[in-house]
Amino acid sequence: MKVAMIGHKVVPSRRGGIENVLTTLCPILVEMGLDVTCYNRSSDKIENEYVGTVSDHKYQGVRIKTAWTLDLRGVAAMMASFTAAIAASFGRYDVIHFHAEGPCAALWIPKLFGKKCVATVHGLDWQREKWGKGFASKYIKFGEKVLAKYADEVIVLSQSAYDYFKETYNRETTIIHNGISRPQKKDAELITKAYGLKKDEYISVVSRLTAEKGIHYLIDAYNKITTDKKLVIAGDTSDTDDYVRMLKEKAAGNPNIIFTGFVSGDLLNEIYSNSYLNVLPSDLEGMSLSLLESLAYQNVLLCSDIPENTSVAEDKAVYFRKSDVEDLADKLKALCDNKELVEKLRVGVDEFILNKYSWQDVAKSTYALYQK
């Protein structure tokens, strides 16, 4: 069976949730016997962590092709999804798998050619604040309507997304969660040299810097408390330069707030491995890979009480009321001041999440859906 993946920036990559998913999932699907092709945007390049892993246009058996586009904000993703959809329509693919709602605006093209199409909704992207209420948001909502009407199968990541599509479009969907692999922890070396960070001396958040991720709540809450723990914000802009500038203005008076920019590889591994506490202050999520990674590294996780978080972490995380800076500050202070509690909360969280969410299970469920 031949499958084409459309809608991501670039594979292999950790640049975003979709990229992370496909970089992990596609090689497993290849091991199961599928012929998988990823259409990478021509405007994006493989980051340093993965340089040398692609040879002869293949990554761990996954074929890599290029979807031509212009490197312009708001245009790159839209154009790449159409050029990839056209190219895939003429390819000998059994299934064309679209990822995210916006790219699904082009899903009707392969359907005209009689192709079977699967769509994975990684989140209700039209709700993301960075797209505002203008053309971008309306275009993404159009993609949602296209996938709801024309996709042969729709994958969602959570019960709330399942309920949304059932109530809004009377569309049946299939829940296939993201997975997580057991990480190899690393001692603090690179982060000590680069940022002066040592084990358990900092709070971390690993996230794209977009408004729905709630980093502004975390900075405000952190500025309200007194602690010797630094705050490390690991992530970068996602067409959200104005928001990032606002975050850095909020943090300007506090030298203990560190922005690392985008990190991956050993540097990211060290940040997770040595963090005292991870925070996920999101207003909106699909299914957070940062949440899965935090618990897999046996970290205590403080996160917002949205259903997409509580249904995954269950009683293995500490929750604060969504968007509530005061409640976040109170919980943050309590955890910073009680190391014994933090050590107690860490026990068993890694085995819980690793046993609950497996990439092998994700691959088996995805393969079964293709066979339908």
Side-chain angles (χ1 to χ4, degrees):
M1 185 184 297
K2 298 185 70 173
V3 180
M5 301 291 187
I6 295 173
H8 57 283
K9 296 181 181 75
V10 60
V11 168
S13 173
R14 278 194 57 96
R15 204 158 302 166
I18 297 172
E19 290 74 33
N20 202 345
V21 166
L22 293 182
T23 297
T24 307
L25 178 62
C26 290
I28 301 175
L29 293 174
V30 169
E31 289 176 1
M32 296 173 68
L34 296 182
D35 186 326
V36 181
T37 298
C38 289
Y39 279 87
N40 288 352
R41 293 183 200 169
S42 63
S43 58
D44 285 86
K45 306 301 179 198
I46 294 171
E47 56 255 30
N48 290 339
E49 177 185 355
Y50 293 102
V51 169
T53 63
V54 176
S55 177
D56 195 26
H57 303 290
K58 282 189 176 182
Y59 168 72
Q60 295 186 13
V62 180
R63 300 179 192 274
I64 305 297
K65 292 189 176 181
T66 300
W68 186 83
T69 188
L70 294 173
D71 190 8
L72 296 172
R73 179 186 176 186
V75 173
M78 178 174 65
M79 185 175 291
S81 61
F82 274 89
T83 58
I86 293 168
S89 296
F90 287 97
R92 294 181 178 179
Y93 299 109
D94 301 292
V95 175
I96 300 178
H97 192 157
F98 286 79
H99 292 267
E101 293 184 325
C104 286
L107 184 145
W108 59 272
I109 297 173
K111 289 301 295 179
L112 285 178
F113 286 78
K115 301 290 188 182
K116 296 294 185 182
C117 293
V118 174
T120 293
V121 178
H122 294 263
L124 302 181
D125 293 336
W126 55 270
Q127 294 180 351
R128 300 186 191 280
E129 189 171 317
K130 73 174 184 177
W131 300 123
K133 300 183 184 302
F135 171 77
S137 179
K138 290 180 173 63
Y139 177 80
I140 294 169
K141 191 66 179 288
F142 171 71
E144 178 181 286
K145 292 176 180 178
V146 171
L147 75 89
K149 186 172 183 178
Y150 295 112
D152 294 283
E153 296 287 347
V154 177
I155 297 170
V156 294
L157 306 184
S158 66
Q159 184 64 45
S160 60
Y162 177 94
D163 295 340
Y164 170 81
F165 277 92
K166 184 65 176 175
E167 293 166 4
T168 306
Y169 302 103
N170 195 30
R171 173 72 205 230
E172 290 291 339
T173 60
T174 300
I175 300 175
I176 302 179
H177 299 296
N178 286 331
I180 187 66
S181 302
R182 186 180 297 275
Q184 295 295 319
K185 297 181 183 178
K186 284 186 171 289
D187 293 335
E189 294 179 1
L190 297 176
I191 58 173
T192 303
K193 292 176 183 176
Y195 310 110
L197 300 173
K198 297 180 180 178
K199 186 171 178 59
D200 288 342
E201 291 186 354
Y202 61 93
I203 302 156
S204 62
V205 56
V206 179
S207 173
R208 295 192 313 277
L209 302 187
T210 59
E212 73 275 0
K213 295 296 185 180
I215 311 300
H216 51 294
Y217 305 134
L218 178 57
I219 292 174
D220 286 343
Y222 180 79
N223 281 332
K224 284 179 175 290
I225 69 172
T226 301
T227 179
D228 59 356
K229 308 291 185 191
K230 295 179 180 179
L231 173 59
V232 175
I233 300 171
D236 208 349
T237 181
S238 178
D239 293 327
T240 52
D241 292 351
D242 289 344
Y243 178 70
V244 174
R245 276 192 291 271
M246 181 269 284
L247 293 181
K248 291 182 176 179
E249 287 172 3
K250 279 180 175 290
N254 194 333
N256 287 328
I257 300 178
I258 300 169
F259 289 85
T260 67
F262 175 77
V263 293
S264 63
D266 288 343
L267 198 61
L268 179 62
N269 190 332
E270 287 189 18
I271 288 174
Y272 271 129
S273 297
N274 298 283
S275 179
Y276 177 79
L277 168 71
N278 281 325
V279 186
L280 184 67
S282 310
D283 283 336
L284 179 69
E285 286 289 350
M287 181 179 181
S288 171
L289 289 171
S290 180
L291 184 157
L292 298 177
E293 289 171 339
S294 294
L295 296 182
Y297 275 91
Q298 204 175 2
N299 284 322
V300 173
L301 178 68
L302 173 59
C303 58
S304 58
D305 62 355
I306 59 177
E308 291 80 4
N309 291 340
T310 59
S311 63
V312 176
E314 299 182 21
D315 63 348
K316 298 300 187 288
V318 178
Y319 299 101
F320 70 93
R321 290 186 297 274
K322 183 188 83 167
S323 310
D324 189 330
V325 172
E326 294 295 336
D327 193 36
L328 174 55
D330 290 343
K331 300 287 173 56
L332 201 61
K333 177 66 173 171
L335 290 169
C336 285
D337 289 349
N338 195 336
K339 187 173 182 179
E340 288 184 4
L341 174 61
V342 167
E343 291 300 325
K344 182 179 178 181
L345 289 171
R346 285 180 179 176
V347 177
V349 296
D350 51 342
E351 295 304 324
F352 162 80
I353 208 71
L354 290 165
N355 290 330
K356 188 178 179 184
Y357 299 105
S358 157
W359 278 120
Q360 293 293 333
D361 291 341
V362 174
K364 289 175 184 177
S365 298
T366 304
Y367 190 104
L369 201 71
Y370 291 162
Q371 289 181 314
K372 283 179 65 177

